[in-house]
Amino acid sequence: MFPGHSFAPLQIRGRQLLPVVQGGMGVGISAHRLAGSVAREGALGTIASIDLRHHHSDLMDMCRADPRHETLARANLIALGREIAAARKLAGGNGMIAVNVMKAVNAHADYVRAACEHGADAIVVGAGLPLDLPDLTAGVDIALVPILSDARGVALVLKKWMKKGRLPDAIVIEHPAYAGGHLGVTDIADMGHERFAFTQIFAELEGVYATLGITRHDVPLVVAGGVNSHEAVRKWLEAGANGVQVGTPFAVTEEGDAHPDFKRVLADAKPEDIVEFVSVTGLPARAVKTPWLERYLRNEARIRTKIGSLKLACPTGLECLSACGLRDGIEKFGHFCIDTRLAAALRGDVANGLFFRGREALPFGSAIRSVRDLLELLLTGVARPAVAQRAAFALA
């Protein structure tokens, strides 16, 4: 699709793709419109599986009429099926459509099965070691891509999966010092550790691959975090990566599934506006310091003292996380309803939403451009002249 670029294709399960992968972003930030638009250009587009019902007014009506957990869970599985179908139609047979699943989510196995049943091309799993993924997808022709952060985690997954007769079709290596959202590290202070450096991971994995008798052709490596320019793409592909994953720059494209005000928050954020904190999952996270987050962080110590060890009912009834600081009274975790805050961000509620964002500057600065423009800039270094915005937003 971009004849001007000189990079080798990313090969996943027999398909040749552009070497730029769109990262999964929930709640509803990367749904069918973004993922399908990325795939249409010949790359891998990703639908984030968690709580997609917010894009479907009839499903929201169903949940309001019957707010039991079973209804909410069923609505989200229906929504995931719809989003996969719509993304595939938009892609027109090009690229690949992946579904991102968080291992830390209670319903992760249900989302994996739904992705298989509805014809996704790939499943990408992060926020935990996906050691059970080969079992959950046995007999299904689908690419499996774990997200990990260091060579030790990669080696463990490779060895465990090989005992099950399966190899990952690619592995995403995410650097916690640069990525947005939940980060693959247990301690904020540990994010800059040298074991997360891409060059060190490449060197360590050479020995691991050789010992296991596999090559990069068998299991490509895709680096994620801090990739925000053509120069960064070239740097990492020439350093040995087979592809790069990009999140925040795709979230603010015209085709991004979130409200325009969500995109403005991310695009207008200055370096001092981007902060790290402990999420309700117990994982460090990175987001824009908007009014709600600033207020929460200012009162975090008091909140921990007051309710840190109390077990509370799930505010939404979704029971989304397998371990939740607010619901389960885990004092060292965050204490807020992450689903409520992410859904508010999706709607563009700047005062009350949680706006995940990577740390680096965006390729087009504060401008909102198309998926095609972004891919062309990342792959060729050429920025087309801006045209009138082509995509209209409509959150059902």
Side-chain angles (χ1 to χ4, degrees):
M1 293 289 186
F2 299 101
H5 88 84
S6 58
F7 303 121
L10 171 63
Q11 299 189 53
I12 296 181
R13 211 166 183 79
R15 300 199 197 184
Q16 294 197 347
L17 307 167
L18 296 177
V20 178
V21 172
Q22 172 241 316
M25 296 166 284
V27 167
I29 304 305
S30 61
H32 81 269
R33 191 172 62 190
L34 177 56
S37 298
V38 172
R40 184 176 55 196
E41 300 294 344
L44 188 148
T46 308
I47 297 168
S49 59
I50 183 71
D51 212 4
L52 286 163
R53 64 198 167 107
H54 292 283
H55 282 298
H56 301 268
S57 59
D58 62 323
L59 297 179
M60 292 300 290
D61 288 342
M62 182 176 79
C63 293
R64 280 189 285 268
D66 179 9
R68 291 177 302 164
H69 168 74
E70 293 79 7
T71 306
L72 275 61
R74 184 171 74 254
N76 280 321
L77 291 174
I78 294 171
L80 177 55
R82 291 179 184 177
E83 293 293 325
I84 294 171
R88 288 172 60 86
K89 182 178 180 180
L90 185 56
N94 297 321
M96 293 179 77
I97 299 296
V99 171
N100 175 276
V101 179
M102 288 179 61
K103 188 71 166 63
V105 167
N106 262 328
H108 81 273
D110 294 329
Y111 291 143
V112 167
R113 285 188 283 267
C116 294
E117 291 168 6
H118 291 283
D121 299 307
I123 297 173
V124 181
V125 179
L129 290 172
L131 302 181
D132 59 348
L133 192 54
D135 302 316
L136 293 173
T137 57
V140 181
D141 181 15
I142 192 166
L144 304 181
V145 183
I147 301 176
L148 304 160
S149 289
D150 60 21
R152 182 174 56 184
V154 173
L156 176 60
V157 167
L158 287 172
K159 291 172 184 176
K160 293 287 188 182
W161 282 28
M162 289 179 76
K163 289 180 180 178
K164 302 173 185 286
R166 188 68 154 90
L167 280 174
D169 294 279
I171 293 175
V172 174
I173 308 295
E174 183 182 85
H175 199 308
Y178 304 102
H182 289 109
L183 309 172
V185 64
T186 56
D187 188 342
I188 290 177
D190 202 28
M191 288 189 297
H193 196 282
E194 61 184 12
R195 74 176 185 275
F196 300 124
F198 295 145
T199 51
Q200 178 162 324
I201 292 173
F202 294 160
E204 292 178 9
L205 289 182
E206 282 187 20
V208 173
Y209 275 45
T211 299
L212 297 175
I214 59 176
T215 68
R216 289 285 199 87
H217 180 76
D218 302 310
V219 185
L221 296 179
V222 176
V223 299
V227 180
N228 66 337
S229 66
H230 173 67
E231 291 72 25
V233 172
R234 180 171 296 281
K235 172 184 176 180
W236 293 118
L237 293 182
E238 291 181 349
N242 302 99
V244 299
Q245 178 173 289
V246 176
T248 303
F250 277 115
V252 302
T253 57
E254 293 170 1
E255 298 89 340
D257 291 273
H259 191 280
D261 289 345
F262 172 95
K263 300 173 189 182
R264 284 265 55 92
V265 168
L266 269 60
D268 292 342
K270 301 177 179 64
E272 61 268 24
D273 297 328
I274 302 166
V275 296
E276 294 83 34
F277 60 99
V278 178
S279 169
V280 294
T281 62
L283 295 170
R286 181 172 289 116
V288 180
K289 190 171 59 175
T290 44
W292 171 80
L293 183 55
E294 184 172 17
R295 187 167 62 251
Y296 170 76
L297 294 176
R298 186 170 64 244
N299 294 294
E300 186 177 27
R302 185 176 62 82
I303 293 170
R304 287 182 191 279
T305 301
K306 186 175 181 180
I307 66 168
S309 60
L310 297 178
K311 293 186 177 182
L312 304 172
C314 175
T316 66
L318 183 60
E319 303 284 353
C320 59
L321 297 173
S322 54
C324 170
L326 181 65
R327 180 196 64 206
D328 300 331
I330 306 173
E331 193 166 356
K332 65 180 180 179
F333 287 17
H335 293 84
F336 56 89
C337 177
I338 192 167
D339 183 70
T340 299
R341 297 301 170 183
L342 292 177
L346 174 67
R347 298 191 304 270
D349 184 346
V350 178
N352 296 298
L354 172 57
F355 294 76
F356 283 150
R357 190 200 191 280
R359 198 175 76 179
E360 301 303 297
L362 296 175
F364 290 108
S366 61
I368 307 299
R369 301 288 293 268
S370 71
V371 161
R372 181 172 180 80
D373 288 350
L374 174 60
L375 284 168
E376 186 169 23
L377 178 61
L378 292 174
L379 290 168
T380 70
V382 175
R384 290 177 179 268
V387 298
Q389 187 164 322
R390 288 156 287 198
F393 175 83
L395 179 60

